[in-house]
Amino acid sequence: MADRAARLAVFLATERGIRHFALDADDERDVLMRESFGNAAAPLAMQVAFPTAAQLSQAGLADQALRNAEMTKLDTAAKKAGADQALAGSLVWSDDELGWIADWRLAMAGKTYIWQVRGVSFDEAFRVAMRGAAQILSGNGEPE
């Protein structure tokens, strides 16, 4: 990875009210979220990829299954999506927080790192995800 940008496959389960979905590379309704993730990754010299709906289905990773999927399974699926490893997350809208609650997971060197941000826009949730991933991948400890 030293000669090119780190490429993470994003596995994101999203919930707003009764709408639940897994972010994928195919759904036109998810364009703004995919663009926002790319915008969050670029300043950190990182890249993001998204699994297709078919890849999620073949791996048994519907939105609810994503929340509890083992990172080793997600890392395997990430490679099939053309990435180096997985960045897993959940994004839940909270009326009480007046924004999204985002939980993130990334595995490195046998350890799974977990971090969260609350009451933010999805743009900020994705910036927090990418800053945390960059911190972990660069060997500079755990995100706060």
Side-chain angles (χ1 to χ4, degrees):
M1 274 196 286
D3 61 340
R4 65 177 178 82
R7 187 165 173 89
L8 297 174
V10 177
F11 293 90
L12 180 65
T14 304
E15 177 183 330
R16 184 167 189 170
I18 61 169
R19 185 170 183 240
H20 298 255
F21 65 95
L23 185 65
D24 67 52
D26 306 314
D27 194 330
E28 287 303 312
R29 295 175 297 178
D30 302 339
V31 168
L32 293 176
M33 284 189 172
R34 290 192 303 268
E35 287 177 358
S36 178
F37 243 118
N39 291 340
L44 300 169
M46 298 176 73
Q47 298 176 353
V48 289
F50 303 92
T52 64
Q55 288 169 329
L56 288 170
S57 178
Q58 289 167 355
L61 294 170
D63 69 307
Q64 295 300 328
L66 279 176
R67 294 175 192 273
N68 301 313
E70 293 290 327
M71 289 305 297
T72 52
K73 181 176 183 176
L74 294 176
D75 283 340
T76 298
K79 289 180 179 22
K80 292 180 181 176
D84 301 308
Q85 67 187 96
L87 171 63
S90 67
L91 194 62
V92 179
W93 178 260
S94 170
D95 288 335
D96 291 340
E97 298 277 344
L98 298 175
W100 295 99
I101 299 171
D103 291 285
W104 302 106
R105 296 182 292 146
L106 184 95
M108 185 173 158
K111 178 177 179 178
T112 298
Y113 295 86
I114 300 170
W115 65 105
Q116 182 186 78
V117 64
R118 304 176 70 86
V120 297
S121 67
F122 68 74
D123 296 303
E124 180 60 15
F126 300 160
R127 284 189 291 268
V128 167
M130 296 312 300
R131 285 191 305 260
Q135 186 171 345
I136 294 162
L137 294 172
S138 68
N140 288 306
E142 295 195 35
E144 295 181 16

